[in-house]
Amino acid sequence: VESGDAERGAALQRDMVQQLKQLTERTAALRARPPVPECLCCQITFDIMREPMLTPSGQTFEREAIEQHLKHNGKWDPVTRQPLQVTDLRENKAVKALIDDFLHKNPWAFNG
């Protein structure tokens, strides 16, 4: 009878160790975070964009950042140095869709 109890105890211990190992692996997988793709980040703030705006030269910036740049630094593209007005900016819907998809899959990536 003692031998049976010892075997059951050992089997229970093996099961618990296996469950703990699986839990540790799942936790590690949940903690693993893919990097935010650079194309989703503003070239001024380096943060993930919420309102990506496209310039005529093809650069994309966060709306608030590019508007502040134009207001405080001059009416020029901060990357290309070409003349730029607020009225030249267009919503970058393709990048916005990519950002929304990335944030849906990785809600940790944006704290705003």
Side-chain angles (χ1 to χ4, degrees):
V1 176
E2 269 184 19
S3 175
D5 289 341
E7 288 175 18
R8 281 191 297 278
L12 181 60
Q13 184 177 11
R14 282 191 302 275
D15 288 344
M16 291 176 69
V17 168
Q18 183 62 30
Q19 289 176 7
L20 183 58
K21 182 178 177 182
Q22 290 171 348
L23 180 61
T24 302
E25 289 170 355
R26 282 195 305 261
T27 301
L30 289 173
R31 288 185 177 164
R33 296 178 172 176
V36 176
E38 286 185 28
C39 66
L40 306 183
C41 297
C42 176
Q43 296 178 64
I44 296 172
T45 65
F46 302 106
D47 291 329
I48 194 163
M49 295 178 279
R50 295 298 284 176
E51 291 185 82
M53 300 301 288
L54 184 64
T55 67
S57 66
Q59 304 299 318
T60 299
F61 302 97
E62 174 62 31
R63 177 191 294 274
E64 184 178 345
I66 191 61
E67 288 178 355
Q68 288 298 312
H69 166 80
L70 294 172
K71 180 178 178 181
H72 297 290
N73 300 312
K75 307 281 187 214
W76 46 271
D77 185 307
V79 173
T80 66
R81 306 286 192 221
Q82 295 175 357
L84 182 63
Q85 302 288 325
V86 171
T87 55
D88 297 328
L89 300 173
R90 300 289 176 258
E91 182 181 0
N92 192 331
K93 293 179 181 179
V95 171
K96 176 68 172 153
L98 292 171
I99 291 167
D100 289 346
D101 183 61
F102 183 82
L103 291 177
H104 178 73
K105 294 175 183 172
N106 302 282
W108 57 265
F110 186 75
N111 295 328

CSV table of all heavy atoms in Angstrom, one decimal, residues 42-105:
chain,number,residue,atom,x,y,z
A,42,CYS,N,6.3,57.9,-36.2
A,42,CYS,CA,6.6,59.2,-36.7
A,42,CYS,C,8.1,59.5,-36.7
A,42,CYS,O,8.8,59.2,-35.8
A,42,CYS,CB,5.9,60.3,-35.8
A,42,CYS,SG,6.1,62.0,-36.2
A,43,GLN,N,8.5,60.2,-37.8
A,43,GLN,CA,9.9,60.5,-37.9
A,43,GLN,C,10.3,61.7,-37.1
A,43,GLN,O,11.5,62.0,-37.0
A,43,GLN,CB,10.3,60.8,-39.4
A,43,GLN,CG,10.1,59.5,-40.3
A,43,GLN,CD,10.3,59.9,-41.7
A,43,GLN,OE1,11.5,60.2,-42.1
A,43,GLN,NE2,9.3,59.8,-42.5
A,44,ILE,N,9.4,62.4,-36.5
A,44,ILE,CA,9.6,63.5,-35.6
A,44,ILE,C,9.6,63.0,-34.1
A,44,ILE,O,10.6,63.3,-33.4
A,44,ILE,CB,8.6,64.6,-35.8
A,44,ILE,CG1,8.7,65.2,-37.2
A,44,ILE,CG2,8.8,65.7,-34.7
A,44,ILE,CD1,7.6,66.2,-37.5
A,45,THR,N,8.6,62.3,-33.7
A,45,THR,CA,8.5,61.9,-32.3
A,45,THR,C,9.0,60.5,-32.0
A,45,THR,O,9.3,60.2,-30.9
A,45,THR,CB,7.0,61.9,-31.9
A,45,THR,OG1,6.3,60.8,-32.7
A,45,THR,CG2,6.3,63.2,-32.1
A,46,PHE,N,9.2,59.7,-33.1
A,46,PHE,CA,9.6,58.3,-33.0
A,46,PHE,C,8.6,57.4,-32.2
A,46,PHE,O,8.9,56.3,-31.9
A,46,PHE,CB,11.0,58.2,-32.4
A,46,PHE,CG,12.0,59.0,-33.1
A,46,PHE,CD1,12.5,60.2,-32.6
A,46,PHE,CD2,12.5,58.5,-34.4
A,46,PHE,CE1,13.5,60.9,-33.4
A,46,PHE,CE2,13.4,59.2,-35.1
A,46,PHE,CZ,13.9,60.4,-34.6
A,47,ASP,N,7.4,58.0,-32.0
A,47,ASP,CA,6.3,57.2,-31.4
A,47,ASP,C,5.4,56.6,-32.5
A,47,ASP,O,5.3,57.2,-33.6
A,47,ASP,CB,5.5,58.1,-30.4
A,47,ASP,CG,6.3,58.5,-29.2
A,47,ASP,OD1,7.2,57.7,-28.8
A,47,ASP,OD2,6.0,59.6,-28.7
A,48,ILE,N,4.6,55.6,-32.1
A,48,ILE,CA,3.7,55.1,-33.0
A,48,ILE,C,2.6,56.2,-33.3
A,48,ILE,O,2.2,56.9,-32.4
A,48,ILE,CB,3.0,53.8,-32.5
A,48,ILE,CG1,2.3,53.0,-33.6
A,48,ILE,CG2,2.2,54.0,-31.3
A,48,ILE,CD1,2.0,51.6,-33.3
A,49,MET,N,2.2,56.3,-34.5
A,49,MET,CA,1.3,57.3,-34.9
A,49,MET,C,-0.1,56.9,-34.7
A,49,MET,O,-0.5,55.8,-34.8
A,49,MET,CB,1.5,57.7,-36.4
A,49,MET,CG,2.9,58.3,-36.7
A,49,MET,SD,3.1,58.6,-38.5
A,49,MET,CE,3.6,57.0,-39.1
A,50,ARG,N,-1.0,57.9,-34.4
A,50,ARG,CA,-2.4,57.7,-34.3
A,50,ARG,C,-3.1,58.4,-35.5
A,50,ARG,O,-4.2,57.9,-35.9
A,50,ARG,CB,-2.9,58.2,-33.0
A,50,ARG,CG,-2.4,57.5,-31.8
A,50,ARG,CD,-2.8,56.1,-31.8
A,50,ARG,NE,-4.2,55.9,-31.4
A,50,ARG,CZ,-4.8,54.8,-31.4
A,50,ARG,NH1,-4.2,53.7,-31.7
A,50,ARG,NH2,-6.1,54.7,-31.0
A,51,GLU,N,-2.6,59.5,-36.0
A,51,GLU,CA,-3.2,60.2,-37.1
A,51,GLU,C,-2.1,60.5,-38.1
A,51,GLU,O,-1.5,61.6,-38.2
A,51,GLU,CB,-3.8,61.6,-36.7
A,51,GLU,CG,-5.0,61.4,-35.8
A,51,GLU,CD,-5.6,62.8,-35.5
A,51,GLU,OE1,-6.3,63.3,-36.4
A,51,GLU,OE2,-5.2,63.4,-34.4
A,52,PRO,N,-1.7,59.4,-38.9
A,52,PRO,CA,-0.6,59.6,-39.8
A,52,PRO,C,-1.0,60.5,-41.0
A,52,PRO,O,-2.0,60.4,-41.6
A,52,PRO,CB,-0.3,58.2,-40.3
A,52,PRO,CG,-1.6,57.4,-40.1
A,52,PRO,CD,-2.2,58.1,-38.9
A,53,MET,N,-0.1,61.5,-41.3
A,53,MET,CA,-0.4,62.5,-42.4
A,53,MET,C,0.8,62.3,-43.4
A,53,MET,O,1.9,62.3,-43.1
A,53,MET,CB,-0.4,63.9,-41.8
A,53,MET,CG,-1.5,64.1,-40.8
A,53,MET,SD,-3.2,63.7,-41.4
A,53,MET,CE,-3.4,65.1,-42.5
A,54,LEU,N,0.4,62.4,-44.7
A,54,LEU,CA,1.3,62.2,-45.8
A,54,LEU,C,1.6,63.5,-46.4
A,54,LEU,O,0.7,64.3,-46.6
A,54,LEU,CB,0.6,61.2,-46.8
A,54,LEU,CG,1.4,60.8,-48.0
A,54,LEU,CD1,2.6,60.0,-47.6
A,54,LEU,CD2,0.5,60.1,-49.0
A,55,THR,N,2.9,63.7,-46.7
A,55,THR,CA,3.3,64.9,-47.4
A,55,THR,C,3.4,64.7,-48.9
A,55,THR,O,3.4,63.5,-49.3
A,55,THR,CB,4.7,65.4,-46.9
A,55,THR,OG1,5.7,64.4,-47.3
A,55,THR,CG2,4.8,65.6,-45.4
A,56,PRO,N,3.4,65.7,-49.7
A,56,PRO,CA,3.5,65.5,-51.1
A,56,PRO,C,4.8,64.7,-51.5
A,56,PRO,O,4.8,64.0,-52.5
A,56,PRO,CB,3.6,66.9,-51.7
A,56,PRO,CG,2.9,67.7,-50.7
A,56,PRO,CD,3.2,67.1,-49.4
A,57,SER,N,5.9,64.8,-50.7
A,57,SER,CA,7.1,64.0,-51.0
A,57,SER,C,7.0,62.6,-50.6
A,57,SER,O,8.0,61.8,-50.8
A,57,SER,CB,8.3,64.7,-50.4
A,57,SER,OG,8.2,64.6,-49.0
A,58,GLY,N,5.9,62.2,-49.9
A,58,GLY,CA,5.8,60.8,-49.5
A,58,GLY,C,6.2,60.5,-48.1
A,58,GLY,O,6.1,59.3,-47.7
A,59,GLN,N,6.5,61.5,-47.3
A,59,GLN,CA,6.9,61.3,-45.9
A,59,GLN,C,5.6,61.2,-45.1
A,59,GLN,O,4.6,61.9,-45.4
A,59,GLN,CB,7.8,62.4,-45.4
A,59,GLN,CG,9.0,62.6,-46.2
A,59,GLN,CD,9.9,61.4,-46.2
A,59,GLN,OE1,10.1,60.8,-45.2
A,59,GLN,NE2,10.5,61.1,-47.4
A,60,THR,N,5.6,60.4,-44.0
A,60,THR,CA,4.5,60.3,-43.1
A,60,THR,C,4.9,60.7,-41.7
A,60,THR,O,5.9,60.3,-41.2
A,60,THR,CB,3.9,58.9,-43.2
A,60,THR,OG1,3.5,58.6,-44.5
A,60,THR,CG2,2.7,58.8,-42.2
A,61,PHE,N,4.0,61.6,-41.1
A,61,PHE,CA,4.3,62.1,-39.8
A,61,PHE,C,3.0,62.0,-39.0
A,61,PHE,O,1.9,62.1,-39.6
A,61,PHE,CB,4.8,63.6,-39.8
A,61,PHE,CG,6.0,63.8,-40.6
A,61,PHE,CD1,5.9,64.2,-41.9
A,61,PHE,CD2,7.2,63.6,-40.1
A,61,PHE,CE1,7.0,64.5,-42.7
A,61,PHE,CE2,8.4,63.8,-40.8
A,61,PHE,CZ,8.3,64.3,-42.1
A,62,GLU,N,3.1,62.1,-37.7
A,62,GLU,CA,1.9,62.2,-36.8
A,62,GLU,C,1.4,63.6,-37.0
A,62,GLU,O,2.2,64.6,-37.1
A,62,GLU,CB,2.3,62.0,-35.3
A,62,GLU,CG,1.3,62.3,-34.3
A,62,GLU,CD,0.0,61.4,-34.5
A,62,GLU,OE1,0.2,60.2,-34.9
A,62,GLU,OE2,-1.1,61.9,-34.1
A,63,ARG,N,0.1,63.7,-37.1
A,63,ARG,CA,-0.5,65.0,-37.4
A,63,ARG,C,-0.1,66.2,-36.5
A,63,ARG,O,0.4,67.2,-36.9
A,63,ARG,CB,-2.1,65.0,-37.4
A,63,ARG,CG,-2.7,66.3,-37.6
A,63,ARG,CD,-4.2,66.3,-37.2
A,63,ARG,NE,-5.0,65.4,-38.1
A,63,ARG,CZ,-5.5,65.8,-39.3
A,63,ARG,NH1,-5.3,67.1,-39.7
A,63,ARG,NH2,-6.2,65.0,-40.0
A,64,GLU,N,-0.2,65.9,-35.2
A,64,GLU,CA,0.2,67.0,-34.3
A,64,GLU,C,1.7,67.4,-34.4
A,64,GLU,O,2.0,68.6,-34.3
A,64,GLU,CB,-0.1,66.5,-32.8
A,64,GLU,CG,0.2,67.6,-31.8
A,64,GLU,CD,-0.2,67.2,-30.4
A,64,GLU,OE1,-0.9,66.2,-30.2
A,64,GLU,OE2,0.2,67.9,-29.5
A,65,ALA,N,2.5,66.4,-34.6
A,65,ALA,CA,4.0,66.7,-34.7
A,65,ALA,C,4.3,67.5,-35.9
A,65,ALA,O,5.1,68.4,-35.8
A,65,ALA,CB,4.7,65.3,-34.7
A,66,ILE,N,3.8,67.1,-37.1
A,66,ILE,CA,4.1,67.9,-38.3
A,66,ILE,C,3.5,69.3,-38.2
A,66,ILE,O,4.1,70.3,-38.7
A,66,ILE,CB,3.7,67.1,-39.6
A,66,ILE,CG1,4.3,67.8,-40.8
A,66,ILE,CG2,2.2,66.9,-39.7
A,66,ILE,CD1,5.8,67.9,-40.8
A,67,GLU,N,2.3,69.4,-37.7
A,67,GLU,CA,1.7,70.7,-37.5
A,67,GLU,C,2.5,71.6,-36.6
A,67,GLU,O,2.7,72.8,-36.9
A,67,GLU,CB,0.2,70.6,-37.1
A,67,GLU,CG,-0.7,70.1,-38.2
A,67,GLU,CD,-2.2,69.9,-37.8
A,67,GLU,OE1,-2.5,70.1,-36.6
A,67,GLU,OE2,-3.0,69.5,-38.7
A,68,GLN,N,2.9,71.1,-35.5
A,68,GLN,CA,3.8,71.8,-34.6
A,68,GLN,C,5.1,72.2,-35.2
A,68,GLN,O,5.6,73.3,-35.1
A,68,GLN,CB,4.0,71.0,-33.3
A,68,GLN,CG,2.8,70.9,-32.4
A,68,GLN,CD,2.3,72.3,-31.9
A,68,GLN,OE1,3.1,73.1,-31.5
A,68,GLN,NE2,1.0,72.5,-32.1
A,69,HIS,N,5.7,71.3,-36.0
A,69,HIS,CA,6.9,71.6,-36.7
A,69,HIS,C,6.7,72.8,-37.7
A,69,HIS,O,7.5,73.7,-37.7
A,69,HIS,CB,7.4,70.4,-37.5
A,69,HIS,CG,8.5,70.7,-38.5
A,69,HIS,ND1,9.8,70.9,-38.1
A,69,HIS,CD2,8.4,71.0,-39.8
A,69,HIS,CE1,10.5,71.2,-39.2
A,69,HIS,NE2,9.6,71.2,-40.3
A,70,LEU,N,5.6,72.7,-38.5
A,70,LEU,CA,5.4,73.8,-39.4
A,70,LEU,C,5.1,75.1,-38.7
A,70,LEU,O,5.6,76.2,-39.2
A,70,LEU,CB,4.2,73.4,-40.3
A,70,LEU,CG,4.4,72.2,-41.2
A,70,LEU,CD1,3.1,71.8,-41.9
A,70,LEU,CD2,5.5,72.5,-42.2
A,71,LYS,N,4.5,75.1,-37.6
A,71,LYS,CA,4.2,76.3,-36.8
A,71,LYS,C,5.4,76.9,-36.2
A,71,LYS,O,5.6,78.1,-36.3
A,71,LYS,CB,3.1,76.0,-35.8
A,71,LYS,CG,2.7,77.2,-34.9
A,71,LYS,CD,1.7,76.8,-33.9
A,71,LYS,CE,1.3,77.9,-33.0
A,71,LYS,NZ,0.3,77.5,-32.0
A,72,HIS,N,6.3,76.1,-35.6
A,72,HIS,CA,7.4,76.6,-34.8
A,72,HIS,C,8.7,76.6,-35.6
A,72,HIS,O,9.6,77.4,-35.2
A,72,HIS,CB,7.6,75.8,-33.5
A,72,HIS,CG,6.4,75.9,-32.6
A,72,HIS,ND1,6.1,77.0,-31.9
A,72,HIS,CD2,5.4,75.0,-32.3
A,72,HIS,CE1,5.0,76.8,-31.2
A,72,HIS,NE2,4.5,75.6,-31.5
A,73,ASN,N,8.9,75.8,-36.6
A,73,ASN,CA,10.2,75.7,-37.3
A,73,ASN,C,10.2,76.2,-38.7
A,73,ASN,O,11.3,76.4,-39.3
A,73,ASN,CB,10.7,74.2,-37.3
A,73,ASN,CG,10.9,73.7,-35.9
A,73,ASN,OD1,11.4,74.4,-35.0
A,73,ASN,ND2,10.3,72.6,-35.6
A,74,GLY,N,9.1,76.4,-39.2
A,74,GLY,CA,9.0,76.9,-40.6
A,74,GLY,C,8.2,76.0,-41.5
A,74,GLY,O,7.9,74.9,-41.2
A,75,LYS,N,7.9,76.5,-42.7
A,75,LYS,CA,7.0,75.8,-43.6
A,75,LYS,C,7.8,75.0,-44.6
A,75,LYS,O,7.9,75.2,-45.8
A,75,LYS,CB,6.2,76.9,-44.4
A,75,LYS,CG,5.4,77.8,-43.5
A,75,LYS,CD,4.2,77.2,-43.0
A,75,LYS,CE,3.3,78.3,-42.3
A,75,LYS,NZ,2.6,77.8,-41.1
A,76,TRP,N,8.5,73.9,-44.0
A,76,TRP,CA,9.3,73.0,-44.8
A,76,TRP,C,9.2,71.6,-44.2
A,76,TRP,O,9.0,71.4,-43.0
A,76,TRP,CB,10.7,73.5,-44.9
A,76,TRP,CG,11.3,74.0,-43.6
A,76,TRP,CD1,11.3,75.2,-43.1
A,76,TRP,CD2,12.0,73.2,-42.7
A,76,TRP,NE1,11.9,75.3,-41.9
A,76,TRP,CE2,12.4,74.0,-41.6
A,76,TRP,CE3,12.4,71.8,-42.6
A,76,TRP,CZ2,13.1,73.6,-40.5
A,76,TRP,CZ3,13.1,71.4,-41.5
A,76,TRP,CH2,13.4,72.3,-40.5
A,77,ASP,N,9.4,70.6,-45.1
A,77,ASP,CA,9.3,69.2,-44.7
A,77,ASP,C,10.6,68.9,-43.9
A,77,ASP,O,11.7,69.2,-44.4
A,77,ASP,CB,9.3,68.4,-46.0
A,77,ASP,CG,9.2,66.9,-45.7
A,77,ASP,OD1,10.0,66.4,-44.9
A,77,ASP,OD2,8.3,66.3,-46.3
A,78,PRO,N,10.5,68.4,-42.7
A,78,PRO,CA,11.7,68.2,-41.9
A,78,PRO,C,12.6,67.1,-42.4
A,78,PRO,O,13.8,67.0,-42.0
A,78,PRO,CB,11.1,67.7,-40.5
A,78,PRO,CG,9.7,67.3,-40.8
A,78,PRO,CD,9.3,68.0,-42.0
A,79,VAL,N,12.2,66.3,-43.4
A,79,VAL,CA,13.1,65.3,-43.9
A,79,VAL,C,13.7,65.8,-45.3
A,79,VAL,O,14.9,65.7,-45.5
A,79,VAL,CB,12.3,63.9,-44.1
A,79,VAL,CG1,13.2,62.9,-44.9
A,79,VAL,CG2,11.9,63.4,-42.8
A,80,THR,N,12.8,66.2,-46.1
A,80,THR,CA,13.3,66.6,-47.5
A,80,THR,C,13.7,68.1,-47.6
A,80,THR,O,14.3,68.5,-48.6
A,80,THR,CB,12.2,66.4,-48.5
A,80,THR,OG1,11.1,67.3,-48.3
A,80,THR,CG2,11.7,64.9,-48.5
A,81,ARG,N,13.3,68.9,-46.6
A,81,ARG,CA,13.5,70.4,-46.6
A,81,ARG,C,12.7,71.1,-47.8
A,81,ARG,O,13.0,72.2,-48.0
A,81,ARG,CB,15.0,70.7,-46.7
A,81,ARG,CG,15.8,70.1,-45.7
A,81,ARG,CD,15.6,70.7,-44.3
A,81,ARG,NE,16.6,70.3,-43.4
A,81,ARG,CZ,16.4,70.0,-42.1
A,81,ARG,NH1,15.2,70.1,-41.7
A,81,ARG,NH2,17.3,69.6,-41.3
A,82,GLN,N,11.8,70.4,-48.4
A,82,GLN,CA,11.0,71.0,-49.4
A,82,GLN,C,9.9,71.9,-48.8
A,82,GLN,O,9.5,71.6,-47.7
A,82,GLN,CB,10.3,70.0,-50.3
A,82,GLN,CG,11.3,69.1,-51.1
A,82,GLN,CD,10.6,68.0,-51.9
A,82,GLN,OE1,9.4,67.8,-51.8
A,82,GLN,NE2,11.4,67.3,-52.7
A,83,PRO,N,9.5,72.9,-49.5
A,83,PRO,CA,8.4,73.8,-48.9
A,83,PRO,C,7.2,72.9,-48.6
A,83,PRO,O,6.8,72.0,-49.3
A,83,PRO,CB,8.1,74.8,-50.0
A,83,PRO,CG,9.3,74.8,-50.9
A,83,PRO,CD,9.9,73.4,-50.8
A,84,LEU,N,6.5,73.2,-47.5
A,84,LEU,CA,5.4,72.4,-47.1
A,84,LEU,C,4.4,73.3,-46.3
A,84,LEU,O,4.8,74.1,-45.4
A,84,LEU,CB,5.8,71.3,-46.2
A,84,LEU,CG,4.8,70.3,-45.7
A,84,LEU,CD1,4.1,69.6,-46.8
A,84,LEU,CD2,5.4,69.3,-44.7
A,85,GLN,N,3.1,73.2,-46.6
A,85,GLN,CA,2.0,73.9,-45.9
A,85,GLN,C,1.1,72.8,-45.2
A,85,GLN,O,1.0,71.7,-45.7
A,85,GLN,CB,1.2,74.7,-46.9
A,85,GLN,CG,2.0,75.8,-47.6
A,85,GLN,CD,2.4,76.9,-46.8
A,85,GLN,OE1,1.7,77.3,-45.9
A,85,GLN,NE2,3.6,77.5,-47.0
A,86,VAL,N,0.4,73.2,-44.2
A,86,VAL,CA,-0.5,72.3,-43.6
A,86,VAL,C,-1.6,71.8,-44.6
A,86,VAL,O,-2.0,70.7,-44.6
A,86,VAL,CB,-1.3,73.0,-42.4
A,86,VAL,CG1,-2.4,72.2,-41.9
A,86,VAL,CG2,-0.3,73.3,-41.3
A,87,THR,N,-1.9,72.7,-45.5
A,87,THR,CA,-2.9,72.3,-46.5
A,87,THR,C,-2.4,71.3,-47.5
A,87,THR,O,-3.2,70.6,-48.2
A,87,THR,CB,-3.4,73.6,-47.3
A,87,THR,OG1,-2.2,74.2,-47.9
A,87,THR,CG2,-4.1,74.5,-46.4
A,88,ASP,N,-1.1,71.0,-47.5
A,88,ASP,CA,-0.5,70.0,-48.4
A,88,ASP,C,-0.6,68.6,-47.8
A,88,ASP,O,-0.4,67.6,-48.5
A,88,ASP,CB,1.0,70.3,-48.6
A,88,ASP,CG,1.3,71.6,-49.4
A,88,ASP,OD1,0.4,72.0,-50.2
A,88,ASP,OD2,2.3,72.2,-49.1
A,89,LEU,N,-0.9,68.5,-46.5
A,89,LEU,CA,-1.0,67.2,-45.8
A,89,LEU,C,-2.2,66.5,-46.2
A,89,LEU,O,-3.3,67.1,-46.3
A,89,LEU,CB,-0.9,67.5,-44.3
A,89,LEU,CG,0.4,68.2,-43.8
A,89,LEU,CD1,0.3,68.5,-42.3
A,89,LEU,CD2,1.6,67.3,-44.1
A,90,ARG,N,-2.1,65.2,-46.3
A,90,ARG,CA,-3.3,64.3,-46.5
A,90,ARG,C,-3.2,63.1,-45.5
A,90,ARG,O,-2.1,62.7,-45.2
A,90,ARG,CB,-3.2,63.7,-47.9
A,90,ARG,CG,-3.3,64.8,-49.0
A,90,ARG,CD,-4.7,65.4,-49.1
A,90,ARG,NE,-4.7,66.4,-50.1
A,90,ARG,CZ,-4.7,67.7,-49.8
A,90,ARG,NH1,-4.5,68.2,-48.6
A,90,ARG,NH2,-4.8,68.6,-50.8
A,91,GLU,N,-4.4,62.7,-45.1
A,91,GLU,CA,-4.4,61.5,-44.2
A,91,GLU,C,-3.8,60.3,-44.9
A,91,GLU,O,-4.1,60.1,-46.1
A,91,GLU,CB,-5.8,61.2,-43.8
A,91,GLU,CG,-6.0,60.1,-42.9
A,91,GLU,CD,-7.4,59.8,-42.5
A,91,GLU,OE1,-8.3,60.5,-43.0
A,91,GLU,OE2,-7.6,58.8,-41.8
A,92,ASN,N,-2.9,59.6,-44.3
A,92,ASN,CA,-2.3,58.4,-44.9
A,92,ASN,C,-3.2,57.2,-44.4
A,92,ASN,O,-2.9,56.6,-43.4
A,92,ASN,CB,-0.9,58.2,-44.5
A,92,ASN,CG,-0.2,57.2,-45.3
A,92,ASN,OD1,-0.8,56.2,-45.7
A,92,ASN,ND2,1.1,57.3,-45.4
A,93,LYS,N,-4.2,56.9,-45.2
A,93,LYS,CA,-5.2,55.9,-44.8
A,93,LYS,C,-4.6,54.5,-44.8
A,93,LYS,O,-4.9,53.6,-44.0
A,93,LYS,CB,-6.4,55.9,-45.7
A,93,LYS,CG,-7.2,57.2,-45.6
A,93,LYS,CD,-8.4,57.2,-46.5
A,93,LYS,CE,-9.1,58.6,-46.3
A,93,LYS,NZ,-10.2,58.7,-47.2
A,94,ALA,N,-3.6,54.2,-45.7
A,94,ALA,CA,-3.0,52.9,-45.7
A,94,ALA,C,-2.2,52.7,-44.4
A,94,ALA,O,-2.3,51.6,-43.8
A,94,ALA,CB,-2.1,52.8,-46.9
A,95,VAL,N,-1.4,53.6,-44.0
A,95,VAL,CA,-0.6,53.5,-42.8
A,95,VAL,C,-1.5,53.4,-41.6
A,95,VAL,O,-1.3,52.7,-40.7
A,95,VAL,CB,0.4,54.6,-42.7
A,95,VAL,CG1,1.1,54.6,-41.3
A,95,VAL,CG2,1.5,54.5,-43.8
A,96,LYS,N,-2.6,54.2,-41.6
A,96,LYS,CA,-3.5,54.2,-40.5
A,96,LYS,C,-4.1,52.8,-40.3
A,96,LYS,O,-4.3,52.3,-39.2
A,96,LYS,CB,-4.7,55.2,-40.8
A,96,LYS,CG,-5.8,55.2,-39.7
A,96,LYS,CD,-5.3,55.7,-38.4
A,96,LYS,CE,-6.5,55.8,-37.5
A,96,LYS,NZ,-6.2,55.7,-36.1
A,97,ALA,N,-4.5,52.1,-41.5
A,97,ALA,CA,-5.0,50.8,-41.4
A,97,ALA,C,-4.0,49.8,-40.8
A,97,ALA,O,-4.3,48.9,-40.0
A,97,ALA,CB,-5.5,50.3,-42.8
A,98,LEU,N,-2.7,50.0,-41.2
A,98,LEU,CA,-1.6,49.1,-40.7
A,98,LEU,C,-1.5,49.3,-39.2
A,98,LEU,O,-1.3,48.4,-38.4
A,98,LEU,CB,-0.3,49.4,-41.4
A,98,LEU,CG,-0.3,49.0,-42.8
A,98,LEU,CD1,1.0,49.5,-43.5
A,98,LEU,CD2,-0.3,47.4,-43.0
A,99,ILE,N,-1.5,50.6,-38.8
A,99,ILE,CA,-1.4,50.9,-37.3
A,99,ILE,C,-2.5,50.3,-36.5
A,99,ILE,O,-2.3,49.7,-35.5
A,99,ILE,CB,-1.3,52.4,-37.1
A,99,ILE,CG1,0.0,53.0,-37.7
A,99,ILE,CG2,-1.5,52.8,-35.7
A,99,ILE,CD1,0.1,54.5,-37.8
A,100,ASP,N,-3.8,50.5,-37.0
A,100,ASP,CA,-4.9,50.0,-36.3
A,100,ASP,C,-4.8,48.5,-36.2
A,100,ASP,O,-5.1,47.9,-35.1
A,100,ASP,CB,-6.2,50.3,-37.1
A,100,ASP,CG,-6.5,51.8,-36.9
A,100,ASP,OD1,-5.9,52.5,-36.1
A,100,ASP,OD2,-7.4,52.3,-37.7
A,101,ASP,N,-4.4,47.8,-37.2
A,101,ASP,CA,-4.2,46.3,-37.2
A,101,ASP,C,-3.2,45.9,-36.2
A,101,ASP,O,-3.4,45.0,-35.4
A,101,ASP,CB,-3.9,45.8,-38.6
A,101,ASP,CG,-3.8,44.3,-38.6
A,101,ASP,OD1,-4.8,43.6,-38.3
A,101,ASP,OD2,-2.7,43.8,-38.9
A,102,PHE,N,-2.0,46.6,-36.2
A,102,PHE,CA,-0.9,46.3,-35.3
A,102,PHE,C,-1.4,46.5,-33.8
A,102,PHE,O,-1.1,45.7,-33.0
A,102,PHE,CB,0.3,47.2,-35.6
A,102,PHE,CG,1.5,46.9,-34.7
A,102,PHE,CD1,2.3,45.8,-35.0
A,102,PHE,CD2,1.7,47.6,-33.6
A,102,PHE,CE1,3.4,45.5,-34.2
A,102,PHE,CE2,2.8,47.3,-32.8
A,102,PHE,CZ,3.6,46.2,-33.1
A,103,LEU,N,-2.1,47.7,-33.6
A,103,LEU,CA,-2.5,47.9,-32.2
A,103,LEU,C,-3.6,47.0,-31.8
A,103,LEU,O,-3.7,46.6,-30.6
A,103,LEU,CB,-3.0,49.4,-32.1
A,103,LEU,CG,-2.0,50.5,-32.2
A,103,LEU,CD1,-2.6,51.8,-32.2
A,103,LEU,CD2,-0.9,50.3,-31.1
A,104,HIS,N,-4.4,46.5,-32.7
A,104,HIS,CA,-5.4,45.5,-32.3
A,104,HIS,C,-4.7,44.2,-31.9
A,104,HIS,O,-5.2,43.6,-30.9
A,104,HIS,CB,-6.3,45.2,-33.5
A,104,HIS,CG,-7.4,44.1,-33.2
A,104,HIS,ND1,-8.5,44.4,-32.4
A,104,HIS,CD2,-7.4,42.9,-33.7
A,104,HIS,CE1,-9.2,43.2,-32.4
A,104,HIS,NE2,-8.6,42.3,-33.1
A,105,LYS,N,-3.7,43.8,-32.5
A,105,LYS,CA,-2.9,42.6,-32.2
A,105,LYS,C,-1.9,42.8,-31.1
A,105,LYS,O,-1.5,41.9,-30.4
A,105,LYS,CB,-2.2,42.1,-33.4
A,105,LYS,CG,-3.1,41.6,-34.5
A,105,LYS,CD,-2.3,41.2,-35.8
A,105,LYS,CE,-3.3,40.8,-36.9
A,105,LYS,NZ,-2.5,40.6,-38.2
